[in-house]
Amino acid sequence: AQKITQTQPGMFVQEKEAVTLDCTYDTSDPSYGLFWYKQPSSGEMIFLIYQGSYDQQNATEGRYSLNFQKARKSANLVISASQLGDSAMYFCAMREEYNFNKFYFGSGTKLNVKP
Amino acid sequence: DTEVTQTPKHLVMGMTNKKSLKCEQHMGHRAMYWYKQKAKKPPELMFVYSYEKLSINESVPSRFSPECPNSSLLNLHLHALQPEDSALYLCASSQLTGDGTDTQYFGPGTRLTVL
């Protein structure tokens, strides 16, 4: 089974609007971390936000927030007030405690912000 | 400072050439990683070094040879590559907390073209 599933290959959003990128995960490890990365066309993977499995509150970092629903095993990224510079590929990733050397990536979502 | 540097940014090589990719971090991280990424795909893990020792080799062909001279440096030696090895090669590092919280920070990547 896929460890990380991103079901939206591509998405469009109007500038200044909010957008949600979906991510579901599969693990039986009680301790894990969920991560979102942004990859512009230049290639660099930029760390955006982290959510721990035991965290009670949803993580937020500036315009990024993570909608963590543990029972549903989902960790959606919400970008508020989209900017043209947000156009990029977004990857959801997971690390499990018992297999902490490995990072599982989803297939990615290509976000296009329209002016 | 969460900077990982990689050189060169671009590399074109013939199938008989020998070249090396270099990665450096000064965050005191104890784990370093090499990934290969094809266009529009997520990164694929190649090697993991933990405390300067190779801890994971994801069945990578021997024409790729990693080296970790010290805790800040990671090299990837390339020899007799094939055109299908053309890709973006990403280096990453992490603190090695030993649990799901360990965040990976990526370098800008080296775009490799094998002719």
Side-chain angles (χ1 to χ4, degrees):
Chain A
Q2 291 258 11
K3 287 280 191 182
I4 296 285
T5 302
Q6 293 180 254
T7 57
Q8 306 153 314
M11 287 197 67
F12 285 90
V13 65
Q14 203 68 37
E15 193 180 7
K16 298 180 186 176
E17 291 186 351
V19 63
T20 298
L21 306 184
D22 294 342
C23 172
T24 58
Y25 60 92
D26 181 30
T27 182
S28 55
D29 193 337
S31 177
Y32 52 89
L34 297 156
F35 306 81
W36 277 94
Y37 288 84
K38 171 184 177 182
Q39 189 174 40
S41 56
S42 59
E44 183 171 4
M45 293 278 281
I46 302 166
F47 166 66
L48 295 178
I49 195 166
Y50 160 81
Q51 179 84 44
S53 58
Y54 293 121
D55 293 342
Q56 296 295 313
Q57 293 192 317
N58 287 340
T60 59
E61 287 287 349
R63 294 186 300 110
Y64 304 108
S65 60
L66 204 152
N67 184 359
F68 182 46
Q69 298 190 43
K70 196 170 182 176
R72 294 186 179 183
K73 294 191 173 179
S74 75
N76 299 338
L77 177 71
V78 180
I79 305 174
S80 62
S82 296
Q83 301 172 356
L84 296 178
D86 294 334
S87 293
M89 195 75 165
Y90 288 82
F91 289 100
C92 180
M94 177 176 68
R95 189 196 285 279
E96 299 164 312
E97 183 176 52
Y98 79 88
N99 195 12
F100 63 87
N101 260 329
K102 296 199 76 169
F103 229 49
Y104 298 98
F105 283 94
S107 54
T109 295
K110 180 75 167 70
L111 178 66
N112 285 291
V113 180
K114 297 190 290 186
Chain B
D1 184 11
T2 56
E3 189 178 65
V4 177
T5 59
Q6 287 186 246
T7 54
K9 288 192 173 178
H10 299 273
L11 178 62
V12 179
M13 60 187 289
M15 288 190 283
T16 58
N17 292 157
K18 281 186 181 181
K19 296 285 184 185
S20 297
L21 309 185
K22 181 180 171 182
C23 174
E24 196 165 2
Q25 59 90 11
H26 293 288
M27 295 177 278
H29 287 175
R30 306 309 298 194
M32 296 187 78
Y33 311 77
W34 278 116
Y35 288 87
K36 173 183 177 181
Q37 187 181 25
K38 293 287 221 179
K40 299 183 182 180
K41 297 287 187 185
E44 299 172 28
L45 183 64
M46 300 175 72
F47 302 104
V48 181
Y49 273 83
S50 305
Y51 296 101
E52 301 165 48
K53 289 187 173 14
L54 184 65
S55 57
I56 290 183
N57 176 343
E58 291 286 297
S59 303
V60 179
S62 60
R63 56 186 184 268
F64 295 92
S65 174
E67 179 198 16
C68 190
N70 59 55
S71 59
S72 301
L73 275 176
L74 185 66
N75 298 321
L76 186 63
H77 302 298
L78 314 172
H79 173 54
L81 294 194
Q82 304 296 311
E84 60 264 29
D85 296 323
S86 298
L88 178 68
Y89 287 83
L90 291 163
C91 173
S93 70
S94 71
Q95 238 179 332
L96 203 61
T97 57
D99 59 22
T101 68
D102 206 25
T103 301
Q104 288 192 16
Y105 295 94
F106 287 80
T110 294
R111 287 196 187 274
L112 174 67
T113 303
V114 182
L115 301 175

